[in-house]
PDB file of all heavy atoms in Angstrom:
ATOM      1  N   GLN P  26      -9.600 -28.535  -6.435  1.00 98.00           N
ATOM      2  CA  GLN P  26      -8.637 -28.710  -5.336  1.00 98.00           C
ATOM      3  C   GLN P  26      -7.489 -27.594  -5.355  1.00 98.00           C
ATOM      4  O   GLN P  26      -7.092 -27.141  -6.369  1.00 98.00           O
ATOM      5  CB  GLN P  26      -7.975 -30.061  -5.380  1.00 98.00           C
ATOM      6  CG  GLN P  26      -8.925 -31.147  -4.997  1.00 98.00           C
ATOM      7  CD  GLN P  26      -8.721 -32.393  -5.882  1.00 98.00           C
ATOM      8  OE1 GLN P  26      -7.718 -32.603  -6.394  1.00 98.00           O
ATOM      9  NE2 GLN P  26      -9.836 -33.117  -5.951  1.00 98.00           N
ATOM     10  N   ILE P  27      -7.115 -27.292  -4.155  1.00 98.00           N
ATOM     11  CA  ILE P  27      -6.109 -26.288  -3.975  1.00 98.00           C
ATOM     12  C   ILE P  27      -4.849 -26.653  -4.707  1.00 98.00           C
ATOM     13  O   ILE P  27      -4.279 -25.799  -5.429  1.00 98.00           O
ATOM     14  CB  ILE P  27      -5.704 -26.171  -2.512  1.00 98.00           C
ATOM     15  CG1 ILE P  27      -6.847 -25.434  -1.717  1.00 98.00           C
ATOM     16  CG2 ILE P  27      -4.385 -25.456  -2.270  1.00 98.00           C
ATOM     17  CD1 ILE P  27      -6.658 -25.437  -0.230  1.00 98.00           C
ATOM     18  N   GLU P  42      -3.827 -22.016   0.496  1.00 98.00           N
ATOM     19  CA  GLU P  42      -4.694 -22.659   1.497  1.00 98.00           C
ATOM     20  C   GLU P  42      -5.369 -21.670   2.427  1.00 98.00           C
ATOM     21  O   GLU P  42      -6.581 -21.700   2.615  1.00 98.00           O
ATOM     22  CB  GLU P  42      -3.912 -23.589   2.205  1.00 98.00           C
ATOM     23  CG  GLU P  42      -4.556 -24.853   2.612  1.00 98.00           C
ATOM     24  CD  GLU P  42      -3.618 -25.850   3.471  1.00 98.00           C
ATOM     25  OE1 GLU P  42      -2.728 -26.332   2.921  1.00 98.00           O
ATOM     26  OE2 GLU P  42      -3.870 -26.052   4.691  1.00 98.00           O
ATOM     27  N   LEU P  46      -9.378 -20.431   2.685  1.00 98.00           N
ATOM     28  CA  LEU P  46     -10.095 -20.444   3.855  1.00 98.00           C
ATOM     29  C   LEU P  46     -10.825 -19.161   4.218  1.00 98.00           C
ATOM     30  O   LEU P  46     -11.917 -19.180   4.655  1.00 98.00           O
ATOM     31  CB  LEU P  46      -9.032 -20.817   5.054  1.00 98.00           C
ATOM     32  CG  LEU P  46      -9.350 -21.740   6.171  1.00 98.00           C
ATOM     33  CD1 LEU P  46     -10.015 -22.916   5.658  1.00 98.00           C
ATOM     34  CD2 LEU P  46      -8.116 -21.983   7.005  1.00 98.00           C
ATOM     35  N   ARG P  49     -13.781 -18.795   2.050  1.00 98.00           N
ATOM     36  CA  ARG P  49     -14.810 -19.639   2.385  1.00 98.00           C
ATOM     37  C   ARG P  49     -15.575 -19.074   3.650  1.00 98.00           C
ATOM     38  O   ARG P  49     -16.830 -18.946   3.653  1.00 98.00           O
ATOM     39  CB  ARG P  49     -14.281 -21.047   2.807  1.00 98.00           C
ATOM     40  CG  ARG P  49     -15.549 -22.063   2.927  1.00 98.00           C
ATOM     41  CD  ARG P  49     -15.140 -23.097   3.904  1.00 98.00           C
ATOM     42  NE  ARG P  49     -14.613 -22.492   5.077  1.00 98.00           N
ATOM     43  CZ  ARG P  49     -14.485 -23.047   6.297  1.00 98.00           C
ATOM     44  NH1 ARG P  49     -14.932 -24.399   6.486  1.00 98.00           N
ATOM     45  NH2 ARG P  49     -13.954 -22.405   7.363  1.00 98.00           N
ATOM     46  N   SER P  56     -16.926 -25.578   0.625  1.00 97.00           N
ATOM     47  CA  SER P  56     -15.849 -26.607   0.556  1.00 97.00           C
ATOM     48  C   SER P  56     -16.340 -28.012   0.840  1.00 97.00           C
ATOM     49  O   SER P  56     -17.421 -28.173   1.471  1.00 97.00           O
ATOM     50  CB  SER P  56     -14.738 -26.215   1.521  1.00 97.00           C
ATOM     51  OG  SER P  56     -15.213 -26.426   2.865  1.00 97.00           O
ATOM     52  N   LYS P  58     -14.611 -31.684   2.284  1.00 97.00           N
ATOM     53  CA  LYS P  58     -13.411 -32.170   2.844  1.00 97.00           C
ATOM     54  C   LYS P  58     -13.109 -33.625   2.238  1.00 97.00           C
ATOM     55  O   LYS P  58     -13.928 -34.173   1.638  1.00 97.00           O
ATOM     56  CB  LYS P  58     -13.487 -32.290   4.287  1.00 97.00           C
ATOM     57  CG  LYS P  58     -13.373 -31.041   5.154  1.00 97.00           C
ATOM     58  CD  LYS P  58     -13.397 -31.357   6.649  1.00 97.00           C
ATOM     59  CE  LYS P  58     -13.157 -30.233   7.601  1.00 97.00           C
ATOM     60  NZ  LYS P  58     -13.245 -30.707   8.965  1.00 97.00           N
ATOM     61  N   GLY P  59     -11.914 -34.039   2.652  1.00 96.00           N
ATOM     62  CA  GLY P  59     -11.563 -35.402   2.314  1.00 96.00           C
ATOM     63  C   GLY P  59     -11.322 -35.647   0.882  1.00 96.00           C
ATOM     64  O   GLY P  59     -11.260 -34.816   0.120  1.00 96.00           O
ATOM     65  N   TYR P  64     -12.998 -26.892  -3.367  1.00 98.00           N
ATOM     66  CA  TYR P  64     -13.799 -25.730  -3.160  1.00 98.00           C
ATOM     67  C   TYR P  64     -14.703 -25.519  -4.444  1.00 98.00           C
ATOM     68  O   TYR P  64     -14.320 -25.781  -5.539  1.00 98.00           O
ATOM     69  CB  TYR P  64     -12.873 -24.466  -3.027  1.00 98.00           C
ATOM     70  CG  TYR P  64     -12.119 -24.373  -1.658  1.00 98.00           C
ATOM     71  CD1 TYR P  64     -10.890 -25.040  -1.461  1.00 98.00           C
ATOM     72  CD2 TYR P  64     -12.734 -23.861  -0.540  1.00 98.00           C
ATOM     73  CE1 TYR P  64     -10.250 -25.059  -0.298  1.00 98.00           C
ATOM     74  CE2 TYR P  64     -12.184 -23.897   0.632  1.00 98.00           C
ATOM     75  CZ  TYR P  64     -10.854 -24.366   0.790  1.00 98.00           C
ATOM     76  OH  TYR P  64     -10.240 -24.341   2.052  1.00 98.00           O
TER      77      TYR P  64
ATOM     78  P    DT W   2      -3.539 -49.070   7.481  1.00 60.32           P
ATOM     79  OP1  DT W   2      -3.011 -50.515   7.468  1.00 60.32           O
ATOM     80  OP2  DT W   2      -3.228 -48.227   8.572  1.00 60.32           O
ATOM     81  O5'  DT W   2      -3.238 -48.306   6.037  1.00 60.32           O
ATOM     82  C5'  DT W   2      -3.755 -48.948   4.913  1.00 60.32           C
ATOM     83  C4'  DT W   2      -4.080 -47.798   3.926  1.00 60.32           C
ATOM     84  O4'  DT W   2      -5.423 -47.237   4.166  1.00 60.32           O
ATOM     85  C3'  DT W   2      -3.154 -46.609   4.013  1.00 60.32           C
ATOM     86  O3'  DT W   2      -2.710 -46.364   2.641  1.00 60.32           O
ATOM     87  C2'  DT W   2      -4.003 -45.537   4.680  1.00 60.32           C
ATOM     88  C1'  DT W   2      -5.376 -45.888   4.033  1.00 60.32           C
ATOM     89  N1   DT W   2      -6.495 -45.343   4.714  1.00 60.32           N
ATOM     90  C2   DT W   2      -7.601 -44.933   3.965  1.00 60.32           C
ATOM     91  O2   DT W   2      -7.545 -44.907   2.772  1.00 60.32           O
ATOM     92  N3   DT W   2      -8.648 -44.477   4.697  1.00 60.32           N
ATOM     93  C4   DT W   2      -8.818 -44.379   6.032  1.00 60.32           C
ATOM     94  O4   DT W   2      -9.804 -43.995   6.583  1.00 60.32           O
ATOM     95  C5   DT W   2      -7.704 -44.793   6.745  1.00 60.32           C
ATOM     96  C7   DT W   2      -7.681 -44.831   8.287  1.00 60.32           C
ATOM     97  C6   DT W   2      -6.577 -45.334   6.017  1.00 60.32           C
ATOM     98  P    DA W   3      -1.427 -45.371   2.426  1.00 60.32           P
ATOM     99  OP1  DA W   3      -0.355 -46.154   1.801  1.00 60.32           O
ATOM    100  OP2  DA W   3      -1.140 -44.604   3.654  1.00 60.32           O
ATOM    101  O5'  DA W   3      -1.980 -44.314   1.347  1.00 60.32           O
ATOM    102  C5'  DA W   3      -2.945 -44.742   0.411  1.00 60.32           C
ATOM    103  C4'  DA W   3      -3.772 -43.699  -0.115  1.00 60.32           C
ATOM    104  O4'  DA W   3      -4.813 -43.402   0.886  1.00 60.32           O
ATOM    105  C3'  DA W   3      -2.984 -42.380  -0.317  1.00 60.32           C
ATOM    106  O3'  DA W   3      -3.497 -41.740  -1.489  1.00 60.32           O
ATOM    107  C2'  DA W   3      -3.405 -41.562   1.027  1.00 60.32           C
ATOM    108  C1'  DA W   3      -4.781 -41.982   1.138  1.00 60.32           C
ATOM    109  N9   DA W   3      -5.312 -41.862   2.587  1.00 60.32           N
ATOM    110  C8   DA W   3      -4.542 -42.063   3.698  1.00 60.32           C
ATOM    111  N7   DA W   3      -5.281 -41.958   4.823  1.00 60.32           N
ATOM    112  C5   DA W   3      -6.565 -41.495   4.344  1.00 60.32           C
ATOM    113  C6   DA W   3      -7.703 -41.164   4.976  1.00 60.32           C
ATOM    114  N6   DA W   3      -7.898 -41.154   6.329  1.00 60.32           N
ATOM    115  N1   DA W   3      -8.705 -40.770   4.188  1.00 60.32           N
ATOM    116  C2   DA W   3      -8.576 -40.829   2.837  1.00 60.32           C
ATOM    117  N3   DA W   3      -7.586 -41.072   2.139  1.00 60.32           N
ATOM    118  C4   DA W   3      -6.558 -41.466   2.936  1.00 60.32           C
ATOM    119  P    DA W   4      -2.699 -40.513  -2.034  1.00 60.32           P
ATOM    120  OP1  DA W   4      -2.463 -40.745  -3.531  1.00 60.32           O
ATOM    121  OP2  DA W   4      -1.656 -40.149  -1.222  1.00 60.32           O
ATOM    122  O5'  DA W   4      -3.906 -39.390  -1.898  1.00 60.32           O
ATOM    123  C5'  DA W   4      -5.151 -39.700  -2.474  1.00 60.32           C
ATOM    124  C4'  DA W   4      -6.084 -38.637  -2.042  1.00 60.32           C
ATOM    125  O4'  DA W   4      -6.354 -38.759  -0.593  1.00 60.32           O
ATOM    126  C3'  DA W   4      -5.574 -37.186  -2.162  1.00 60.32           C
ATOM    127  O3'  DA W   4      -6.583 -36.407  -2.815  1.00 60.32           O
ATOM    128  C2'  DA W   4      -5.284 -36.795  -0.779  1.00 60.32           C
ATOM    129  C1'  DA W   4      -6.331 -37.564   0.026  1.00 60.32           C
ATOM    130  N9   DA W   4      -5.882 -37.748   1.357  1.00 60.32           N
ATOM    131  C8   DA W   4      -4.793 -38.263   1.933  1.00 60.32           C
ATOM    132  N7   DA W   4      -4.752 -38.329   3.212  1.00 60.32           N
ATOM    133  C5   DA W   4      -6.001 -38.036   3.598  1.00 60.32           C
ATOM    134  C6   DA W   4      -6.612 -37.973   4.830  1.00 60.32           C
ATOM    135  N6   DA W   4      -6.039 -38.211   6.017  1.00 60.32           N
ATOM    136  N1   DA W   4      -7.929 -37.488   4.856  1.00 60.32           N
ATOM    137  C2   DA W   4      -8.608 -37.208   3.784  1.00 60.32           C
ATOM    138  N3   DA W   4      -8.021 -37.274   2.491  1.00 60.32           N
ATOM    139  C4   DA W   4      -6.730 -37.647   2.508  1.00 60.32           C
ATOM    140  P    DT W   5      -6.261 -35.159  -3.667  1.00 60.32           P
ATOM    141  OP1  DT W   5      -7.263 -35.198  -4.712  1.00 60.32           O
ATOM    142  OP2  DT W   5      -4.854 -35.116  -3.912  1.00 60.32           O
ATOM    143  O5'  DT W   5      -6.607 -34.021  -2.589  1.00 60.32           O
ATOM    144  C5'  DT W   5      -7.927 -33.542  -2.423  1.00 60.32           C
ATOM    145  C4'  DT W   5      -8.319 -33.327  -1.114  1.00 60.32           C
ATOM    146  O4'  DT W   5      -7.714 -34.090  -0.126  1.00 60.32           O
ATOM    147  C3'  DT W   5      -7.860 -31.905  -0.577  1.00 60.32           C
ATOM    148  O3'  DT W   5      -8.607 -30.877  -1.082  1.00 60.32           O
ATOM    149  C2'  DT W   5      -8.216 -32.063   0.979  1.00 60.32           C
ATOM    150  C1'  DT W   5      -8.047 -33.621   1.060  1.00 60.32           C
ATOM    151  N1   DT W   5      -7.088 -33.974   2.187  1.00 60.32           N
ATOM    152  C2   DT W   5      -7.625 -34.065   3.505  1.00 60.32           C
ATOM    153  O2   DT W   5      -8.700 -33.754   3.786  1.00 60.32           O
ATOM    154  N3   DT W   5      -6.643 -34.390   4.432  1.00 60.32           N
ATOM    155  C4   DT W   5      -5.272 -34.741   4.167  1.00 60.32           C
ATOM    156  O4   DT W   5      -4.581 -34.983   5.053  1.00 60.32           O
ATOM    157  C5   DT W   5      -4.888 -34.618   2.782  1.00 60.32           C
ATOM    158  C7   DT W   5      -3.459 -34.945   2.435  1.00 60.32           C
ATOM    159  C6   DT W   5      -5.754 -34.297   1.912  1.00 60.32           C
ATOM    160  P    DT W   6      -8.214 -29.351  -0.880  1.00 60.32           P
ATOM    161  OP1  DT W   6      -8.694 -28.440  -1.899  1.00 60.32           O
ATOM    162  OP2  DT W   6      -6.655 -29.298  -0.574  1.00 60.32           O
ATOM    163  O5'  DT W   6      -8.939 -28.942   0.490  1.00 60.32           O
ATOM    164  C5'  DT W   6     -10.435 -29.162   0.494  1.00 60.32           C
ATOM    165  C4'  DT W   6     -10.898 -29.125   1.967  1.00 60.32           C
ATOM    166  O4'  DT W   6     -10.035 -30.043   2.788  1.00 60.32           O
ATOM    167  C3'  DT W   6     -10.747 -27.751   2.664  1.00 60.32           C
ATOM    168  O3'  DT W   6     -11.920 -27.635   3.465  1.00 60.32           O
ATOM    169  C2'  DT W   6      -9.507 -27.919   3.568  1.00 60.32           C
ATOM    170  C1'  DT W   6      -9.557 -29.409   3.910  1.00 60.32           C
ATOM    171  N1   DT W   6      -8.150 -29.968   4.232  1.00 60.32           N
ATOM    172  C2   DT W   6      -8.001 -30.522   5.512  1.00 60.32           C
ATOM    173  O2   DT W   6      -8.898 -30.441   6.387  1.00 60.32           O
ATOM    174  N3   DT W   6      -6.760 -30.973   5.698  1.00 60.32           N
ATOM    175  C4   DT W   6      -5.775 -30.960   4.899  1.00 60.32           C
ATOM    176  O4   DT W   6      -4.632 -31.450   5.215  1.00 60.32           O
ATOM    177  C5   DT W   6      -5.981 -30.496   3.550  1.00 60.32           C
ATOM    178  C7   DT W   6      -4.901 -30.446   2.497  1.00 60.32           C
ATOM    179  C6   DT W   6      -7.197 -29.991   3.254  1.00 60.32           C
ATOM    180  P    DC W   7     -12.231 -26.406   4.272  1.00 60.32           P
ATOM    181  OP1  DC W   7     -13.793 -26.365   4.593  1.00 60.32           O
ATOM    182  OP2  DC W   7     -11.533 -25.252   3.586  1.00 60.32           O
ATOM    183  O5'  DC W   7     -11.513 -26.647   5.747  1.00 60.32           O
ATOM    184  C5'  DC W   7     -12.139 -27.265   6.712  1.00 60.32           C
ATOM    185  C4'  DC W   7     -11.331 -27.279   8.005  1.00 60.32           C
ATOM    186  O4'  DC W   7      -9.992 -27.886   7.685  1.00 60.32           O
ATOM    187  C3'  DC W   7     -11.046 -25.912   8.548  1.00 60.32           C
ATOM    188  O3'  DC W   7     -11.632 -25.805   9.865  1.00 60.32           O
ATOM    189  C2'  DC W   7      -9.687 -25.676   8.555  1.00 60.32           C
ATOM    190  C1'  DC W   7      -9.084 -27.139   8.495  1.00 60.32           C
ATOM    191  N1   DC W   7      -7.810 -27.331   7.814  1.00 60.32           N
ATOM    192  C2   DC W   7      -6.694 -27.819   8.492  1.00 60.32           C
ATOM    193  O2   DC W   7      -6.760 -28.220   9.627  1.00 60.32           O
ATOM    194  N3   DC W   7      -5.494 -28.132   7.774  1.00 60.32           N
ATOM    195  C4   DC W   7      -5.346 -27.823   6.493  1.00 60.32           C
ATOM    196  N4   DC W   7      -4.212 -27.962   5.940  1.00 60.32           N
ATOM    197  C5   DC W   7      -6.514 -27.190   5.791  1.00 60.32           C
ATOM    198  C6   DC W   7      -7.624 -27.018   6.490  1.00 60.32           C
ATOM    199  P    DC W   8     -11.958 -24.476  10.584  1.00 60.32           P
ATOM    200  OP1  DC W   8     -13.009 -24.721  11.536  1.00 60.32           O
ATOM    201  OP2  DC W   8     -12.219 -23.470   9.453  1.00 60.32           O
ATOM    202  O5'  DC W   8     -10.714 -24.221  11.357  1.00 60.32           O
ATOM    203  C5'  DC W   8     -10.222 -25.038  12.447  1.00 60.32           C
ATOM    204  C4'  DC W   8      -8.787 -24.809  12.701  1.00 60.32           C
ATOM    205  O4'  DC W   8      -7.951 -25.146  11.695  1.00 60.32           O
ATOM    206  C3'  DC W   8      -8.493 -23.229  12.902  1.00 60.32           C
ATOM    207  O3'  DC W   8      -8.571 -23.032  14.320  1.00 60.32           O
ATOM    208  C2'  DC W   8      -7.098 -23.116  12.268  1.00 60.32           C
ATOM    209  C1'  DC W   8      -6.744 -24.546  11.928  1.00 60.32           C
ATOM    210  N1   DC W   8      -5.909 -24.739  10.789  1.00 60.32           N
ATOM    211  C2   DC W   8      -4.540 -25.246  11.009  1.00 60.32           C
ATOM    212  O2   DC W   8      -4.109 -25.541  12.061  1.00 60.32           O
ATOM    213  N3   DC W   8      -3.775 -25.360   9.862  1.00 60.32           N
ATOM    214  C4   DC W   8      -4.129 -25.041   8.650  1.00 60.32           C
ATOM    215  N4   DC W   8      -3.309 -25.251   7.664  1.00 60.32           N
ATOM    216  C5   DC W   8      -5.504 -24.551   8.441  1.00 60.32           C
ATOM    217  C6   DC W   8      -6.248 -24.365   9.504  1.00 60.32           C
ATOM    218  P    DT W   9      -8.426 -21.482  14.794  1.00 60.32           P
ATOM    219  OP1  DT W   9      -9.228 -21.381  16.027  1.00 60.32           O
ATOM    220  OP2  DT W   9      -8.448 -20.550  13.678  1.00 60.32           O
ATOM    221  O5'  DT W   9      -6.869 -21.591  15.343  1.00 60.32           O
ATOM    222  C5'  DT W   9      -6.397 -22.852  15.956  1.00 60.32           C
ATOM    223  C4'  DT W   9      -4.905 -22.629  16.202  1.00 60.32           C
ATOM    224  O4'  DT W   9      -4.178 -23.088  15.060  1.00 60.32           O
ATOM    225  C3'  DT W   9      -4.447 -21.136  16.429  1.00 60.32           C
ATOM    226  O3'  DT W   9      -3.596 -21.168  17.622  1.00 60.32           O
ATOM    227  C2'  DT W   9      -3.708 -20.772  15.124  1.00 60.32           C
ATOM    228  C1'  DT W   9      -3.195 -22.167  14.720  1.00 60.32           C
ATOM    229  N1   DT W   9      -3.064 -22.196  13.229  1.00 60.32           N
ATOM    230  C2   DT W   9      -1.871 -22.822  12.733  1.00 60.32           C
ATOM    231  O2   DT W   9      -1.033 -23.366  13.396  1.00 60.32           O
ATOM    232  N3   DT W   9      -1.826 -22.887  11.373  1.00 60.32           N
ATOM    233  C4   DT W   9      -2.697 -22.302  10.384  1.00 60.32           C
ATOM    234  O4   DT W   9      -2.450 -22.424   9.294  1.00 60.32           O
ATOM    235  C5   DT W   9      -3.801 -21.698  11.096  1.00 60.32           C
ATOM    236  C7   DT W   9      -4.858 -20.979  10.159  1.00 60.32           C
ATOM    237  C6   DT W   9      -3.888 -21.590  12.440  1.00 60.32           C
ATOM    238  P    DA W  10      -2.999 -19.790  18.139  1.00 60.32           P
ATOM    239  OP1  DA W  10      -3.365 -19.744  19.603  1.00 60.32           O
ATOM    240  OP2  DA W  10      -3.239 -18.670  17.211  1.00 60.32           O
ATOM    241  O5'  DA W  10      -1.415 -20.136  18.032  1.00 60.32           O
ATOM    242  C5'  DA W  10      -0.986 -21.399  17.913  1.00 60.32           C
ATOM    243  C4'  DA W  10       0.350 -21.417  17.243  1.00 60.32           C
ATOM    244  O4'  DA W  10       0.234 -21.546  15.777  1.00 60.32           O
ATOM    245  C3'  DA W  10       1.151 -20.158  17.601  1.00 60.32           C
ATOM    246  O3'  DA W  10       2.409 -20.536  18.027  1.00 60.32           O
ATOM    247  C2'  DA W  10       1.303 -19.454  16.251  1.00 60.32           C
ATOM    248  C1'  DA W  10       1.162 -20.605  15.193  1.00 60.32           C
ATOM    249  N9   DA W  10       0.639 -20.220  13.865  1.00 60.32           N
ATOM    250  C8   DA W  10      -0.571 -19.513  13.630  1.00 60.32           C
ATOM    251  N7   DA W  10      -0.698 -19.364  12.359  1.00 60.32           N
ATOM    252  C5   DA W  10       0.335 -19.983  11.779  1.00 60.32           C
ATOM    253  C6   DA W  10       0.709 -20.167  10.423  1.00 60.32           C
ATOM    254  N6   DA W  10       0.053 -19.708   9.405  1.00 60.32           N
ATOM    255  N1   DA W  10       1.896 -20.826  10.126  1.00 60.32           N
ATOM    256  C2   DA W  10       2.603 -21.329  11.153  1.00 60.32           C
ATOM    257  N3   DA W  10       2.301 -21.217  12.482  1.00 60.32           N
ATOM    258  C4   DA W  10       1.207 -20.568  12.686  1.00 60.32           C
ATOM    259  P    DC W  17       6.469   0.986   1.245  1.00 60.32           P
ATOM    260  OP1  DC W  17       5.265   1.251   0.410  1.00 60.32           O
ATOM    261  OP2  DC W  17       7.919   1.460   0.860  1.00 60.32           O
ATOM    262  O5'  DC W  17       6.180   1.543   2.635  1.00 60.32           O
ATOM    263  C5'  DC W  17       5.341   0.888   3.533  1.00 60.32           C
ATOM    264  C4'  DC W  17       5.282   1.476   4.911  1.00 60.32           C
ATOM    265  O4'  DC W  17       6.473   1.054   5.658  1.00 60.32           O
ATOM    266  C3'  DC W  17       5.446   2.960   4.967  1.00 60.32           C
ATOM    267  O3'  DC W  17       4.431   3.429   5.842  1.00 60.32           O
ATOM    268  C2'  DC W  17       6.906   3.278   5.333  1.00 60.32           C
ATOM    269  C1'  DC W  17       7.165   2.061   6.258  1.00 60.32           C
ATOM    270  N1   DC W  17       8.636   1.721   6.396  1.00 60.32           N
ATOM    271  C2   DC W  17       9.066   1.386   7.699  1.00 60.32           C
ATOM    272  O2   DC W  17       8.366   1.506   8.657  1.00 60.32           O
ATOM    273  N3   DC W  17      10.372   0.909   7.786  1.00 60.32           N
ATOM    274  C4   DC W  17      11.149   0.766   6.714  1.00 60.32           C
ATOM    275  N4   DC W  17      12.405   0.379   6.916  1.00 60.32           N
ATOM    276  C5   DC W  17      10.654   1.053   5.355  1.00 60.32           C
ATOM    277  C6   DC W  17       9.396   1.488   5.304  1.00 60.32           C
TER     278       DC W  17
END
Side-chain angles (χ1 to χ4, degrees):
Chain P
Q26 288 140 28
I27 287 176
E42 211 179 296
L46 220 47
R49 193 210 47 161
S56 69
K58 279 187 181 179
Y64 288 92

